[in-house]
């Protein structure tokens, strides 16, 4: 058992199985308008009745911009219903 735990300690990130479906819903919508997903950090906030999933673009080399848009894309948040697994709302950041 100890061997298994030590391998798990090397993992960088963790997402629950319950949230992966909601993440995939948001990702499908995200891909309709955005560029390469590897240019983004993804934040998940689990609320009581919904899940907030935010895609934040990284900065391009040498870029120093404040706000929700970089050369690599725009920051957007999706609110996903836990019950229906559908997008309730979305909001681009400024």
């Amino acid at each position: 058992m100890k061997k298994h735990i030590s391998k798990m300690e090397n993992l960088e990130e963790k997402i629950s199985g319950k949230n992966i479906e909601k993440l995939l819903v948001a990702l499908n919508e995200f891909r309709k308008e955005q560029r390469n997903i590897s240019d983004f950090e993804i934040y998940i906030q689990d609320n009581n009745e919904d899940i907030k999933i935010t895609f934040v673009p990284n900065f391009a080399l040498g870029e120093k911009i404040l706000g929700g848009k970089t050369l690599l894309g725009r920051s957007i948040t999706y609110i996903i219903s836990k019950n229906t697994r559908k997008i309730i709302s979305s909001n681009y950041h400024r």
Side-chain angles (χ1 to χ4, degrees):
M1 182 70 169
K2 188 164 178 130
K3 236 182 201 180
H4 180 67
I5 292 172
S6 65
K7 287 182 183 179
M8 295 301 289
E9 288 174 357
N10 292 328
L11 294 177
E12 291 181 23
E13 300 170 39
K14 174 178 116 175
I15 184 169
S16 73
K18 292 178 182 179
N19 288 341
I20 194 71
E21 287 181 317
K22 286 96 174 170
L23 178 59
L24 291 174
V25 168
L27 180 61
N28 285 335
E29 191 65 25
F30 170 88
R31 285 187 170 158
K32 291 178 182 178
E33 297 183 25
Q34 299 283 343
R35 299 179 193 169
N36 190 350
I37 188 67
S38 64
D39 291 332
F40 287 77
E41 297 290 325
I42 302 164
Y43 298 88
I44 299 174
Q45 181 181 354
D46 191 342
N47 300 319
N48 289 334
E49 296 178 13
D50 56 46
I51 304 267
K52 181 193 259 186
I53 301 174
T54 302
F55 296 84
V56 179
N58 297 319
F59 291 108
L61 189 61
E63 186 176 31
K64 295 178 184 176
I65 297 176
L66 296 176
K69 186 174 182 181
T70 72
L71 293 174
L72 300 176
R74 291 179 69 185
S75 180
I76 187 166
T77 295
Y78 298 99
I79 307 294
I80 312 287
S81 166
K82 285 184 179 181
N83 293 331
T84 65
R85 296 184 191 118
K86 294 185 180 184
I87 295 173
I88 299 169
S89 65
S90 63
N91 182 40
Y92 284 104
H93 304 182
R94 291 182 176 223

